[in-house]
Amino acid sequence: MKALTKSEKAPGASMQTKVMPEPRANEVLVQVKITAICGTDIHIFNWNDWAAGLGIEQGNVMGHECVAEVVKLGEGVTSLSVGDRVCIETHIPCRDCRLCHNGNMHICENETIFSVHTNGCFADYAVVPAICARKVPESIPDEIASIMEPVGVGVHAAQIGDVKGKNVVVLGAGPIGLFSACASLALGAKQVTISDIKDTRLEVASLCGDFQLWNPLKTSAYSLFDTSASASGPEVIIETTGSNRAVSDILPYLRKKGTMVMVGLFPGDVSLNFSQDIIFKEVTIKGVHGRIMWDTWELMEKLIQNDKLNVQPAITHRFKLEEYEEAFRIAASGEGTKVLLRP
Ligand SMILES: [Zn+2]
Ligand SMILES: [Zn+2]
């Protein structure tokens, strides 16, 4: 089979021919139908310091977002059948630790990540732990199914941000920010503002929902949320940029008792005015890592099936897997939002 491989611990990747893998006990072999490029894949492709520290082995197959069909069951698999259409939950739980036992499998103490600690799905076939192969409801089309893993991060962010009836600001209109904004609307937020310093990304956002669009390079947070009338500021902020500047600029406008949901990863330490912006205002800060298994998936499936989550316009480009170089260029430049690859 062909597979896009991290052939060297250096920038780039290569298409290789590999022996078809065999599922072991509690694993399934899937035939990949459509995959999507994630921010993580771009870091791994470019091999920045963060990616180099993940512990990825040389020769690893890249990619984790996909829709696929189960073609072979490993020993002991009873939850799936050959022919099932699935997407992959990338957080692999041990099923045996305190967090796995109390409903927090997605942040398992012994968590491993599909495509980082295992081979991924930028290939014709992939082996997946059966517990991480999530059956896709029939009414959800393949392209949408291929991006449900990142959509789920946005749904999780809106879920724990408790956005219903509130003014929400989402920082960043990359895929995760956009999906967080879509999910906030779907879960009944009163108003959703989405920011990005790239107008092209805001244009894509405008196709997904009735958002207030905000380019902070053109309009300051001050003129948008006017400090003297802090009641006009957001009640919930969902942060997906990983930019210290973006956070410290908006935090003064978050209302008292507001919530800040942190999703984007930061390259280093973050400096904030804790006394003024968090303690005196009794602000709550929550982290989001992945999707709640399977709470978030169930909610997301319901929202998609009820036409509440309009994420289709986020899919801006489609390529064959062989065209990966151009696909990565477009995804990394921000020219594309979700870029799909077909093996
Ligand atoms: Zn992803
Ligand atoms: Zn565990």
Side-chain angles (χ1 to χ4, degrees), residues 214-282:
W214 173 33
N215 183 334
L217 293 183
K218 295 179 179 168
T219 310
S220 69
Y222 178 84
S223 53
L224 202 61
F225 303 115
D226 181 5
T227 190
S228 60
S230 62
S232 71
E235 295 158 284
V236 180
I237 297 170
I238 301 178
E239 150 42 45
T240 72
T241 66
S243 153
N244 195 154
R245 172 84 193 275
V247 179
S248 45
D249 277 359
I250 190 139
L251 213 42
Y253 306 103
L254 180 60
R255 289 192 215 176
K256 287 189 171 178
K257 285 283 178 189
T259 301
M260 177 96 169
V261 182
M262 307 297 293
V263 192
L265 299 178
F266 292 80
D269 293 347
V270 177
S271 146
L272 298 175
N273 187 338
F274 265 77
S275 309
Q276 207 60 46
D277 291 339
I278 295 165
I279 298 165
F280 296 153
K281 296 202 292 190
E282 294 200 346

Side-chain angles (χ1 to χ4, degrees), residues 93-97 100 108-110:
C94 75
R95 307 180 81 168
D96 212 24
C97 70
C100 281
C108 162
E109 299 276 12
N110 308 305

Side-chain angles (χ1 to χ4, degrees), residues 32 61 123 149 323 333:
V32 180
V61 178
E149 194 258 9
E323 298 166 320
S333 68

Side-chain angles (χ1 to χ4, degrees), residues 36-41 63-65 90 115 147 149-151 153 176 291 338:
I37 297 178
C38 173
T40 309
D41 301 318
H64 59 269
E65 298 174 1
T90 41
S115 89
I147 59 167
E149 194 258 9
V151 171
V153 178
I176 301 294
R291 301 135 298 272
K338 278 320 272 189

Side-chain angles (χ1 to χ4, degrees), residues 2-5 13-15 31-38 41-42 45 61-68 120-124 142-143 145-147 315-331 337-343:
K2 62 178 183 297
L4 186 62
T5 304
S14 65
M15 279 301 271
Q31 182 170 18
V32 180
K33 298 168 98 167
I34 306 175
T35 73
I37 297 178
C38 173
D41 301 318
I42 297 169
F45 190 88
V61 178
M62 295 181 64
H64 59 269
E65 298 174 1
C66 73
V67 60
C121 64
F122 285 171
D124 292 323
D142 278 349
E143 284 202 347
S146 75
I147 59 167
I315 300 171
T316 54
H317 294 78
R318 296 159 179 86
F319 290 97
K320 284 195 221 127
L321 185 56
E322 288 85 346
E323 298 166 320
Y324 67 91
E325 281 183 272
E326 177 65 356
F328 268 90
R329 189 192 65 73
I330 285 187
T337 301
K338 278 320 272 189
V339 177
L340 305 187
L341 297 167
R342 269 175 206 270

Side-chain angles (χ1 to χ4, degrees), residues 126-144:
V127 161
V128 185
I131 188 167
C132 292
R134 171 84 183 173
K135 266 193 244 179
V136 185
E138 234 170 73
S139 60
I140 299 179
D142 278 349
E143 284 202 347
I144 298 296

